[in-house]
């Protein structure tokens, strides 16, 4: 592997393949879900998904060409509800992200309810 990176975001879209115009689709889904979560942040675990992508560049031995690969994972946010380390890490990341970073991933409107949901989970552990 020449290079490897991981990225993640919270999204209301649970499918592995995003619809066409993925940024717009994610922003629309997150905005709709944010309205629900502002009223009841207890729903974060079932309404949001942790989407992670592993992206790699690999030089092919015979041709010398470089291949790009992407592997996508999508799990409900509730998957980390009982994992103190994961909850704390996500809380710290979300709290530290700039508005530009949150905006790029359409997480601005869901950040506050997710932070409340995380704090409630941490208090219960």
């Amino acid at each position: 592997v020449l290079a490897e990176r991981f990225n993640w975001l919270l999204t209301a879209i649970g499918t592995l393949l995003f619809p066409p115009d993925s940024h717009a689709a994610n922003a629309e889904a997150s905005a709709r879900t944010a309205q629900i979560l502002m009223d009841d942040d207890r729903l974060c675990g079932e309404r949001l998904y942790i989407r992670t992508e592993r992206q790699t560049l690999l030089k092919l031995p015979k041709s010398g060409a470089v291949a790009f690969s992407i592997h996508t994972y999508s799990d409900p946010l509730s998957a980390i509800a009982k994992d103190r380390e994961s909850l704390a890490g996500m809380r710290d990341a979300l709290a530290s992200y700039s508005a530009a970073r949150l905006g790029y991933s359409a997480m601005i409107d869901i950040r506050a309810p997710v932070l409340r949901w995380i704090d409630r989970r941490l208090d219960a552990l």
Side-chain angles (χ1 to χ4, degrees):
V1 174
L2 289 174
E4 175 182 59
R5 81 174 194 150
F6 290 85
N7 60 37
W8 73 276
L9 67 117
L10 293 176
T11 179
I13 302 172
T15 58
L16 291 179
L17 297 175
F18 267 16
D21 195 359
S22 59
H23 284 283
N26 185 44
E28 182 181 322
S30 290
R32 281 192 319 267
T33 302
Q35 293 297 316
I36 295 165
L37 300 179
M38 287 299 208
D39 292 335
D40 189 355
D41 59 72
R42 293 172 298 175
L43 299 174
C44 286
E46 64 191 61
R47 294 288 183 123
L48 294 174
Y49 298 85
I50 305 166
R51 180 184 178 86
T52 307
E53 295 176 345
R54 177 183 182 253
Q55 301 173 357
T56 60
L57 294 173
L58 176 68
K59 187 172 184 177
L60 301 175
K62 288 186 180 179
S63 68
V66 176
F68 171 75
S69 70
I70 185 167
H71 188 102
T72 304
Y73 306 85
S74 182
D75 292 293
L77 180 58
S78 62
I80 65 166
K82 296 180 181 179
D83 183 336
R84 178 175 291 282
E85 185 177 348
S86 295
L87 289 166
M90 184 172 288
R91 181 192 60 208
D92 293 347
L94 285 173
S96 71
Y97 283 169
S98 67
R101 169 65 173 90
L102 291 166
Y104 177 78
S105 300
M107 294 191 298
I108 285 179
D109 294 333
I110 62 172
R111 176 169 60 177
V114 169
L115 290 175
R116 289 191 304 271
W117 181 85
I118 289 172
D119 287 339
R120 188 177 294 111
R121 301 284 77 68
L122 287 170
D123 288 346
L125 294 177

